[in-house]
Amino acid sequence: MVAGSTSWRLAQVNGHPALTVQLDGELDTVPALWLDDGLITGTYAVRNPEKLSHLAEENVLSP
């Protein structure tokens, strides 16, 4: 269980579909999927604050 206020948004990060997860208003985690011909071929999640600080821009996907 995660304490505090959690929110997430669909995004595209480094050309891959992803989520941006915020905890108490701060970027906490960015999980992403690698797709090949419509199939998930890999997953990746970043939680390292130093790497997250380099996330220059995210593009929110339309539902």
Side-chain angles (χ1 to χ4, degrees):
M1 179 177 230
V2 177
S5 173
T6 304
S7 64
W8 57 272
R9 291 192 304 167
L10 294 174
Q12 186 168 358
V13 177
N14 294 331
H16 300 285
L19 292 174
T20 57
V21 181
Q22 292 192 348
L23 180 60
D24 293 329
E26 297 291 326
L27 186 58
D28 181 74
T29 308
V30 177
L33 299 175
W34 273 251
L35 301 174
D36 187 25
D37 292 326
L39 299 174
I40 297 172
T41 58
T43 61
Y44 191 73
V46 176
R47 293 202 70 217
N48 181 330
E50 289 182 19
K51 290 184 178 183
L52 290 175
S53 69
H54 296 294
L55 185 61
E57 180 177 311
E58 64 185 61
N59 298 311
V60 177
L61 299 175
S62 300

